[in-house]
Amino acid sequence: MSDLANELTAATRSMLDRIDIDTETPARGVSDALWAALVEAGFTSVDVPAEAGGHGCDTSDAIAVLSTVIGSGALVPFIEHAMLAAWVSGTAGQDLGQGTATIGVADAGLVVDDSVEPLRVSGIVRDVVHVSAASMLVILLPESENSGARVATISLDHDGVSVTAGRDLLGASIGSVTLDYVPATTANCPVTAAEVRQRGALIYAAAMAAAAGTVRDRTVQYASERTQFGRPLTKFQAIQQRLASMAASTTMMEIASRRAAAAASSAPQSARSATAAAKVVTSLYSHEVAAAGHQIHGAIGFTSEHPLGRSTTALWAWRDRYGAEREWADVIASDVLDAGSDPWDLITGTAPPSGTAAAPDDGHAKPSSTERISQ
C-alpha cells in the first residue's frame, strides 16, 4: 500500500477503537456514530475528484478505508455513498454536499422529461441498497437522441418519491424507489453504465476480500484458544488442513482485489480484465471461506450475537452484487475468444489497451502462451 493508504488505515482503526461497533447479525441498523465520524473526517470522499469537493486520491487509497471499515464488521453506507454515488457524481463535477447518498440503476422503463427545468424523472429504480439511510439517490440516466449519458441526483424527501424497503441478510435496507415526475439535478457524465458496473464489481470484490480476512483471523484465533480432548483445535490435522485451505483462498481474494484496485488507479488498459478476475475469485471463494469459518467455530458461530456472522453473512450477501462469478468469467472468456487477447497477457496484466493495434512484426516471432509456459 502507499504511504497515504497506510495513514488512512491507521486513522480509520483509531476511529473504530473509539466507537462501539454492534456486530449482531442481522444488524439492527447503520452505525450512525461511525458514519458521522467518517463524514466529519472527510474519509467519504477520498477518491472523489477535487473539483467536486473530494480529495482526488487514488482508488486504492479509498479502498484502504473501505477494507478497514468492512474488516471491523461495521454496517455503514460507505460503498453506496463514498465509493459509488459520490464518485459517479464527482466525475460529472457534482458535489453531493453533506447528505448521504445511495446509487441506483435506471432501466428502460425510466421516463425523463427534458422539456422543463429542472428535468423530471418518472419510473421505478429497484434494488437500491441502504435506501432507508440515504437522503439522496444518484442514478445514471440512459443516453437519448438529444443527449449523452447524464448523472441525476434526486432528493428522496420529495413528495413524488415513494420508497418500499426491506432488509438483506446483513441487515442493510434494500428496496425500490418509485419516482412520480420528480425534479432532478443533472450533469453530463463522462462514465458509462458499463464503467459504473465495473467499478461496483471492483469495490465489492475488495469488500469481500476484507470480510474474508476477518473470518480467517477470527477462525485462527478461535481454533488456537478452543480446546478439545485436552488440546487446542489447531493441534488436530484436519483443522490444520481446513485452516490452510481457508487461508489460501483468502490470500487469493486479497491479491486479486489488490491487483484490480492498482489497475483501476494506474493501468486503465488492464483494469477491466483485472476487475473481472477479482470478482470471479472473490465471489467463487466467498462461500468456501464462510463455510470453513462456521465449520471450525461450530454452533457458537451461528448465534446472532457472535461477530463471526457479520462477516460470513456479508460474503453470502455480496457474492452476486454487480455480477456473480459466472458473469465476469464470461468477460474474461470474451477477451480471449472474441477480442483475441493473449491469455498470458491477461494473466500477467500486460494486455494492450482495448482497440489498439498489435505491435508491428520486427522479424522476431512472439512465442505463444504455451511456449512461454513451457519455458
Side-chain angles (χ1 to χ4, degrees):
M1 291 193 297
S2 67
D3 291 341
L4 177 58
N6 287 327
E7 292 175 4
L8 289 169
T9 298
T12 306
R13 284 176 179 164
S14 177
M15 191 182 302
L16 287 163
D17 288 340
R18 300 193 303 269
I19 298 173
D20 184 27
I21 303 299
D22 169 36
T23 55
E24 184 176 334
T25 308
R28 289 176 294 215
V30 168
S31 176
D32 294 326
L34 176 59
W35 183 241
L38 290 167
V39 172
E40 183 180 359
F43 286 5
T44 57
S45 57
V46 173
D47 71 335
V48 174
E51 56 270 23
H55 302 292
C57 301
D58 289 339
T59 300
S60 297
D61 298 323
I63 287 178
V65 179
L66 167 70
S67 298
T68 308
V69 171
I70 296 299
S72 73
L75 183 66
V76 290
F78 194 90
I79 294 178
E80 283 66 35
H81 173 91
M83 304 298 297
L84 294 174
W87 177 80
V88 170
S89 295
T91 61
Q94 286 188 326
D95 185 351
L96 292 180
Q98 297 300 312
T100 298
T102 186
I103 191 165
V105 178
D107 57 24
L110 201 71
V111 178
V112 179
D113 184 356
D114 290 310
S115 63
V116 294
E117 183 64 34
L119 62 76
R120 305 284 171 146
V121 181
S122 300
I124 301 176
V125 183
R126 296 179 172 83
D127 299 326
V128 181
V129 183
H130 281 300
V131 64
S132 297
S135 59
M136 293 175 287
L137 174 65
V138 173
I139 54 176
L140 195 65
L141 299 179
E143 297 184 17
S144 65
E145 296 180 356
N146 301 322
S147 68
R150 291 169 294 176
V151 60
T153 305
I154 296 168
S155 171
L156 293 177
D157 295 328
H158 191 274
D159 292 340
V161 175
S162 176
V163 176
T164 303
R167 294 201 300 169
D168 65 9
L169 294 174
L170 201 58
S173 60
I174 183 169
S176 299
V177 179
T178 302
L179 307 171
D180 184 12
Y181 207 62
V182 179
T185 302
T186 61
N188 293 330
C189 187
V191 299
T192 64
E195 289 171 328
V196 173
R197 187 166 182 80
Q198 177 180 321
R199 166 90 172 185
L202 166 63
I203 302 308
Y204 270 104
M208 284 191 287
T214 297
V215 174
R216 175 199 57 204
D217 294 344
R218 288 192 183 281
T219 304
V220 170
Q221 180 180 357
Y222 177 81
S224 301
E225 298 172 349
R226 178 75 166 89
T227 59
Q228 190 71 30
F229 302 112
R231 53 180 177 166
L233 292 180
T234 50
K235 296 298 183 179
F236 294 90
Q237 188 176 28
I239 298 296
Q240 293 172 356
Q241 292 172 342
R242 200 75 170 107
L243 287 172
S245 177
M246 179 174 62
S249 299
T250 302
T251 300
M252 284 190 287
M253 294 170 72
E254 292 171 339
I255 292 174
S257 61
R258 195 178 304 128
R259 170 70 182 85
S265 298
S266 59
Q269 72 274 12
S270 60
R272 182 166 174 79
S273 57
T275 296
K279 196 61 169 70
V280 169
V281 170
T282 53
S283 291
L284 184 64
Y285 287 110
S286 60
H287 176 71
E288 179 181 323
V289 172
H294 278 291
Q295 184 180 31
I296 294 174
H297 272 81
I300 192 173
F302 286 96
T303 60
S304 62
E305 297 85 0
H306 199 282
L308 178 72
R310 181 66 64 90
S311 298
T312 55
T313 304
L315 291 173
W316 289 317
W318 296 343
R319 184 175 179 177
D320 59 352
R321 293 269 170 93
Y322 289 89
E325 60 266 32
R326 181 181 293 275
E327 175 184 333
W328 289 101
D330 286 344
V331 170
I332 298 175
S334 178
D335 285 342
V336 175
L337 300 177
D338 299 332
S341 298
D342 190 318
W344 183 259
D345 289 334
L346 290 175
I347 292 171
T348 59
T350 57
S354 177
T356 59
D361 187 358
D362 58 2
H364 300 283
K366 178 182 178 182
S368 67
S369 300
T370 304
E371 289 172 338
R372 276 175 282 179
I373 293 172
S374 64
Q375 292 172 358

